[in-house]
Amino acid sequence: MKVFGKRTSEGSRQITQKKEKLKNFLKEKGLKSTRQRDLIASEFLKIGEHITAEELYREINKKYSDIGYTTVYRTLKLLNKSGLAAERVFADNLTRYEPLSAEDHHDHLICMKCGSITEFQELKIERLQDRVAEEFGFLAVSHKMELYGYCNKCKDNA
Amino acid sequence: MKVFGKRTSEGSRQITQKKEKLKNFLKEKGLKSTRQRDLIASEFLKIGEHITAEELYREINKKYSDIGYTTVYRTLKLLNKSGLAAERVFADNLTRYEPLSAEDHHDHLICMKCGSITEFQELKIERLQDRVAEEFGFLAVSHKMELYGYCNKCKDNA
DNA sequence: CATCTAATTGAAAATGAATTTCAATTTCCT
DNA sequence: AGGAAATTGAAATTCATTTTCAATTAGATG
């Protein structure tokens, strides 16, 4: 099994690459590079964790109080369209975003006590999923798999 | 693999049993049996499919125009609490309810074109999930797995 | 069966996250 | 530098979900 564990902030190398990719995307689509988009993308990539638009806005707002919530929201949507961010909705029904690399693709363990989100990928499960789909004559395009429970820390002191 | 396929309306036997279970739940909790609850539960169980509160309300409203949306909504919540209905949220972010039996537990194939929902259960996948959780020292309590793609009908004429 | 209390009902209002509107501002092409 | 088009931020809107509240009803008790 491929283990990712908790996300950590990406290195500056990857961040630079991703911001380059965003710039290309913008140019390609006839959109503009702006100070706001640059700062929001940087902060988002730096934080690295699954984060809501609201949470990211709060972080941004500490440093750049002139940047509004709507712009943060729209920039996350933009990052999603450009393939740099994934939109995820877990059991609390909030939309979270996470930095995404080209081939990146994984599932989640979610702690019902502390809310921590851990990532994993298990190819055996994916192969079985494909087999299940096939049995139904179903053409599988994507999937969503979440395990809810208690993380190592929380299961003990609970 | 255990195959359920699409849901179909339950037999009157099961419906009667479930309504009995609801009555017991109500009595147990000091709640009341009402005409509305009875009619809503019957219709919900008869339809059997994954359905939103809004959709069920529309059905109910055709036959019993005096029953309001709020009551349908609240009755579905009640069925959920009593263990007779599962609440599900798929990619469109709408809350759907489906009749649930005691041991019933399954995952979903969702057609991205026609929206049809098919159920399946694959014990091998579940075993692997448990193993993954274990590796992280995670205590798994429940899970959610959805495969999105195109169903047999839609994948051809698309 | 009448009474009483607490639960239920339906309409309307409130909530809250996500999205859109719009006038002012900024980007960036020429 | 000029100008068209995109962007921004605040406020407004949307839309499903949830709550409120006054009127009604269930059903336990006398």
Side-chain angles (χ1 to χ4, degrees):
Chain A
M1 181 181 53
K2 207 162 161 187
V3 169
F4 297 97
K6 287 203 192 188
R7 273 179 179 271
T8 47
S9 176
E10 301 181 57
S12 63
R13 169 79 62 82
Q14 286 100 318
I15 293 185
T16 308
Q17 281 178 355
K18 289 189 180 176
K19 287 175 63 176
E20 204 54 42
K21 203 173 159 193
L22 175 60
K23 261 188 189 153
N24 292 340
F25 177 83
L26 292 174
K27 182 157 284 181
E28 208 174 276
K29 298 279 179 184
L31 304 175
K32 290 167 180 170
S33 283
T34 65
R35 170 182 159 267
Q36 289 92 328
R37 281 176 178 168
D38 193 58
L39 291 171
I40 293 166
S42 293
E43 188 68 21
F44 172 66
L45 294 170
K46 198 176 119 211
I47 291 175
E49 300 275 348
H50 300 75
I51 194 170
T52 64
E54 178 67 29
E55 286 164 352
L56 183 55
Y57 166 67
R58 277 196 226 286
E59 284 307 310
I60 290 282
N61 189 254
K62 286 181 193 166
K63 303 181 187 171
Y64 317 104
S65 61
D66 61 312
I67 298 181
Y69 167 82
T70 312
T71 303
V72 173
Y73 165 79
R74 280 188 286 222
T75 301
L76 285 171
K77 283 286 188 193
L78 189 70
L79 287 166
N80 178 240
K81 275 185 194 141
S82 70
L84 291 167
E87 257 186 25
R88 311 255 183 211
V89 181
F90 300 120
D92 63 4
N93 272 4
L94 294 181
T95 302
R96 287 185 170 74
Y97 298 83
E98 59 165 315
L100 201 62
S101 304
E103 303 313 317
D104 204 10
H105 149 242
H106 53 258
D107 297 299
H108 298 90
L109 288 162
I110 298 146
C111 179
M112 289 157 64
K113 192 170 181 214
C114 73
S116 73
I117 298 169
T118 306
E119 301 172 356
F120 71 91
Q121 188 176 34
E122 175 52 277
L123 294 175
K124 285 181 202 156
I125 291 181
E126 315 214 339
R127 254 179 265 129
L128 283 169
Q129 287 176 340
D130 288 342
R131 198 185 303 167
V132 167
E134 213 175 294
E135 290 213 37
F136 284 91
F138 195 94
L139 180 64
V141 171
S142 67
H143 75 264
K144 177 171 180 175
M145 184 164 70
E146 294 147 22
L147 305 187
Y148 292 89
Y150 298 97
C151 74
N152 206 14
K153 247 193 292 182
C154 294
K155 78 176 174 195
D156 298 327
N157 49 329
Chain B
M1 182 181 52
K2 208 162 159 189
V3 169
F4 297 96
K6 287 205 189 182
R7 273 178 180 272
T8 46
S9 178
E10 301 182 56
S12 64
R13 170 79 63 83
Q14 285 99 320
I15 293 186
T16 307
Q17 281 178 356
K18 290 188 178 175
K19 287 176 63 177
E20 203 53 43
K21 204 174 158 192
L22 175 60
K23 260 188 189 152
N24 292 339
F25 177 82
L26 292 174
K27 181 157 285 180
E28 208 174 275
K29 298 279 180 185
L31 304 176
K32 290 168 179 169
S33 283
T34 65
R35 171 183 158 265
Q36 289 93 329
R37 282 175 178 168
D38 193 58
L39 291 170
I40 293 166
S42 293
E43 188 68 21
F44 172 65
L45 294 171
K46 198 176 119 209
I47 291 174
E49 300 275 345
H50 300 75
I51 194 170
T52 65
E54 179 66 29
E55 286 164 352
L56 183 56
Y57 166 66
R58 278 197 227 286
E59 284 308 310
I60 289 283
N61 189 254
K62 285 181 194 166
K63 302 182 188 171
Y64 317 103
S65 62
D66 61 312
I67 297 181
Y69 168 80
T70 312
T71 303
V72 172
Y73 164 79
R74 281 189 286 221
T75 301
L76 285 171
K77 284 286 189 194
L78 188 69
L79 287 167
N80 179 240
K81 275 186 194 139
S82 70
L84 290 168
E87 256 186 27
R88 312 255 181 212
V89 180
F90 300 121
D92 63 4
N93 272 5
L94 293 182
T95 302
R96 287 184 170 76
Y97 297 84
E98 59 165 314
L100 201 62
S101 305
E103 303 313 316
D104 205 9
H105 149 243
H106 53 258
D107 297 300
H108 299 90
L109 288 161
I110 297 145
C111 179
M112 290 157 67
K113 192 168 181 218
C114 73
S116 72
I117 299 168
T118 306
E119 300 172 357
F120 70 92
Q121 187 176 33
E122 174 52 277
L123 293 176
K124 284 183 202 154
I125 292 181
E126 316 214 338
R127 254 178 263 128
L128 283 168
Q129 287 176 339
D130 287 342
R131 198 185 304 166
V132 167
E134 213 174 294
E135 290 212 36
F136 284 91
F138 194 93
L139 179 64
V141 171
S142 68
H143 75 264
K144 176 171 179 172
M145 184 164 71
E146 293 147 23
L147 304 186
Y148 291 89
Y150 298 97
C151 72
N152 206 14
K153 250 193 290 183
C154 294
K155 77 175 174 195
D156 298 327
N157 49 329

